[in-house]
């Protein structure tokens, strides 16, 4: 079990379940281990309590009578006061299949926990999650967010990728990283306006569960949990189409002044079986190297030794 970081208060666990007695043993065990347990019995109260209490971990019952668990997780993830780094675990009764794992991953659920709950292993997991969250909150915001674009910096994206890779392991899913570089040609080269427009387009084209960052002067990366190599290629194509549509005259971004935006991209995808294999910086580095190879070979998309032809 990892050493729990020093906190100014006991770590808070928000438990949302309408089963009044089924989790009583878990609540008692959490209390004996120094956790502060905040209990709500309906989905409607979760957002309000999460706002007021700022929990370190959230446990949601998938069978809440008034709200579907995955939808509640999506609403929590969309709330800036909860953010992406608050662990959300979903309590389920049956063994989940692949599609259920994928749906949970896309909804921002870090892990599925089967009931009845064994308090010992779950508490060990919660200790690990509290450690991860505390480490994220200690890092200065300015080192994690790019001032120009509002996206993650390379450091921030690597940290977020580590969280997403951990989730992918728990759901037995792959994870992909696509690194792209826009190239402008025409009457102007875009400069800062081009970078801001590209950032906006990439953020809009990515899924809500993806993480997007600026990882170089003109390089951007998207980390996509649940995506394999085929999914990474589709993501790269979607990003390219988004930039082309913007350049063809949405009237707001880098397409003005005769500027034509093309995209080069590199990607990598991995499927890992254990937390010991997590290397978020290597995933970013491998995708970046694929982009460099694409540039050197004059291709638009590259992964390892494989080359993909440009879109027609």
């Amino acid at each position: 079990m990892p050493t729990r970081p020093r906190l100014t208060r006991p770590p808070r666990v928000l438990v949302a379940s309408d089963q009044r007695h089924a989790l009583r043993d878990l609540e008692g065990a959490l209390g004996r281990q120094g956790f502060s347990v905040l209990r709500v019995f309906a989905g409607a109260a979760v957002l309000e309590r999460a706002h007021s209490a700022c929990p370190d971990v959230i446990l949601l019952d998938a069978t809440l009578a008034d709200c579907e668990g995955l939808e509640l997780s999506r609403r929590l993830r969309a709330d800036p006061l909860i953010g992406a780094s608050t662990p959300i675990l979903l309590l389920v009764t049956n063994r989940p299949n692949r599609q259920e794992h994928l749906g949970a991953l896309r909804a921002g659920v870090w892990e599925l926990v089967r009931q009845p709950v064994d308090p010992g292993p779950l508490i060990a997991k919660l200790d690990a999650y509290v450690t991860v969250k505390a480490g994220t909150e200690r890092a200065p915001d300015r080192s994690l967010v790019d001032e120009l674009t509002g996206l993650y910096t390379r450091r921030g994206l690597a940290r977020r990728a580590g969280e997403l890779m951990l989730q992918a392991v728990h759901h037995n899913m792959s994870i992909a990283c696509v690194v792209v570089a826009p190239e402008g040609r025409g009457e102007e080269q875009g400069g800062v306006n081009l970078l801001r427009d590209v950032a906006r387009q990439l953020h809009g084209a990515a899924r809500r569960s993806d993480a997007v960052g600026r990882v170089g002067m003109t390089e951007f990366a998207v980390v996509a949990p649940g995506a394999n190599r085929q999914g990474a290629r589709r993501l790269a194509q979607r990003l390219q189409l988004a930039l082309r549509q913007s350049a063809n005259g949405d009237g707001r971004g880098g397409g003005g002044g005769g500027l034509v935006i093309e995209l080069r991209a590199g990607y990598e995808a991995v499927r890992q079986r254990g937390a010991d294999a997590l290397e978020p910086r290597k995933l970013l580095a491998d995708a970046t190297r694929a982009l460099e190879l694409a540039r050197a070979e004059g291709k638009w998309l590259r992964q390892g030794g494989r080359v993909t032809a440009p879109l027609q």
Side-chain angles (χ1 to χ4, degrees), residues 179-257:
V179 178
V180 301
E183 297 180 355
R185 65 178 187 271
E187 296 178 11
E188 58 178 74
Q189 292 305 308
V192 169
N193 289 335
L194 172 61
L195 291 177
R196 286 176 174 159
D197 186 59
V198 168
R200 176 174 61 85
Q201 295 297 331
L202 295 182
H203 187 268
R207 301 167 309 185
R208 181 179 295 179
S209 57
D210 297 341
V212 186
R214 182 185 175 201
V215 296
M217 289 297 294
T218 60
E219 292 80 22
F220 297 83
V222 181
V223 178
N228 54 19
R229 291 178 178 177
Q230 182 179 5
R233 291 192 292 273
R234 288 198 300 266
L235 173 58
Q237 292 172 337
R238 191 163 71 247
L239 299 177
Q240 185 185 62
L241 289 174
L243 291 183
R244 283 186 176 180
Q245 290 168 359
S246 174
N248 285 337
D250 69 358
R252 294 177 294 173

Side-chain angles (χ1 to χ4, degrees), residues 77 79 82-87 108 110 152 160 163 167:
R77 289 295 181 220
D79 192 308
I82 308 303
S85 294
T86 299
W110 283 35
Y152 286 113
R160 179 65 184 136
E163 297 172 350
Q167 296 170 44

Side-chain angles (χ1 to χ4, degrees), residues 126-148:
L126 297 185
D127 266 318
Y129 287 140
V130 168
T131 300
V132 170
K133 186 171 186 292
T136 299
E137 292 177 344
R138 281 197 298 267
D141 289 345
R142 63 180 178 274
S143 70
L144 304 179
V145 178
D146 177 52
E147 292 183 2
L148 178 64

Side-chain angles (χ1 to χ4, degrees), residues 55-129:
D56 298 293
V57 183
I58 300 175
L59 297 181
L60 299 178
D61 196 325
T63 59
L64 284 167
D66 67 330
C67 188
E68 198 267 333
L70 294 185
E71 175 58 28
L72 186 54
S73 178
R74 284 188 285 267
R75 290 168 60 189
L76 287 165
R77 289 295 181 220
D79 192 308
L81 293 180
I82 308 303
S85 294
T86 299
I88 298 176
L89 283 67
L90 193 68
L91 302 172
V92 299
T93 54
N94 299 319
R95 183 181 296 277
N97 58 34
R98 185 183 184 280
Q99 285 303 115
E100 288 168 333
H101 272 292
L102 183 58
L105 185 61
R106 297 277 171 81
V109 173
W110 283 35
E111 188 170 354
L112 299 177
V113 178
R114 290 189 67 187
Q115 299 187 79
V117 177
D118 185 344
L122 180 57
I123 289 173
K125 292 177 182 179
L126 297 185
D127 266 318
Y129 287 140

